[in-house]
C-alpha cells in the first residue's frame, strides 16, 4: 500500500477524480487518465447490453476521442486486487509500456502501482 499523501500531487489528483467518478455514478469502478499535456479524463464503468467497458478503458477512449496522443499516468479505483490485463493493454496502447497505472481501493488508498507493460 502507498500512503496517498506521499503521491505526486498530479497522481493524487487522478486517484481522487477516479474515486469521485465511482461514488458519483454508483459504478463498480472509477478511473482517470492524464494525457501528455496534463489534461485529465474521468470515467466510470459502462455496462450496457450492447457495450461493456471498464472504467479505465472508457477513460482511455475518452482521451483518444479528445485528441490525446499519449498518457502520462492512469488510475483506477476498484475492489479488484489489480488492474486487469485488458485495462493495462488499453493504457499501453496510448501511453506505452512504461505508463504507470495506480490501483486504489474504494477508500482511495493506492494498493499498487504497475506499469502498463
Amino acid at each position: 500500500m502507498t500512503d496517498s499523501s506521499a503521491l505526486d500531487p498530479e497522481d493524487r489528483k487522478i486517484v481522487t477524480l477516479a474515486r469521485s467518478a465511482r461514488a458519483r455514478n454508483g459504478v463498480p469502478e472509477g478511473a482517470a487518465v492524464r494525457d501528455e499535456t496534463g489534461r485529465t479524463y474521468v470515467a466510470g464503468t459502462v455496462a450496457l447490453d450492447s457495450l461493456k467497458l471498464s472504467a479505465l478503458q472508457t477513460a482511455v477512449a475518452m482521451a483518444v476521442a479528445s485528441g490525446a496522443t499519449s498518457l502520462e499516468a492512469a488510475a483506477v479505483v476498484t475492489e479488484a486486487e489489480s488492474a486487469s490485463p485488458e485495462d493495462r493493454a488499453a493504457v499501453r496502447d496510448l501511453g506505452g509500456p512504461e505508463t504507470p497505472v495506480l490501483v486504489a481501493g474504494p477508500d482511495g488508498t493506492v494498493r499498487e502501482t504497475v506499469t502498463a507493460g
Side-chain angles (χ1 to χ4, degrees):
M1 289 215 204
T2 302
D3 177 5
S4 293
S5 65
L7 290 175
D8 170 272
E10 292 299 314
D11 288 346
R12 190 168 44 247
K13 175 183 171 182
I14 62 173
V15 171
T16 299
L17 290 169
R19 186 173 180 223
S20 296
R22 181 181 184 270
R24 179 179 58 251
N25 297 325
V27 292
E29 294 182 339
V33 298
R34 184 175 62 248
D35 74 8
E36 73 282 0
T37 67
R39 290 179 297 182
T40 55
Y41 305 89
V42 182
T45 309
V46 174
L48 301 173
D49 289 340
S50 62
L51 180 63
K52 306 249 188 273
L53 294 172
S54 71
L56 199 46
Q57 290 169 331
T58 305
V60 170
M62 291 173 65
V64 170
S66 296
T69 58
S70 184
L71 294 179
E72 291 182 349
V76 61
V77 173
T78 180
E79 296 278 353
E81 290 300 314
S82 188
S84 73
E86 296 82 9
D87 281 351
R88 291 173 64 198
V91 172
R92 182 176 58 246
D93 285 349
L94 186 56
E98 298 304 314
T99 307
V101 179
L102 300 116
V103 181
D107 66 353
T109 300
V110 175
R111 290 193 293 249
E112 71 173 351
T113 301
V114 297
T115 61

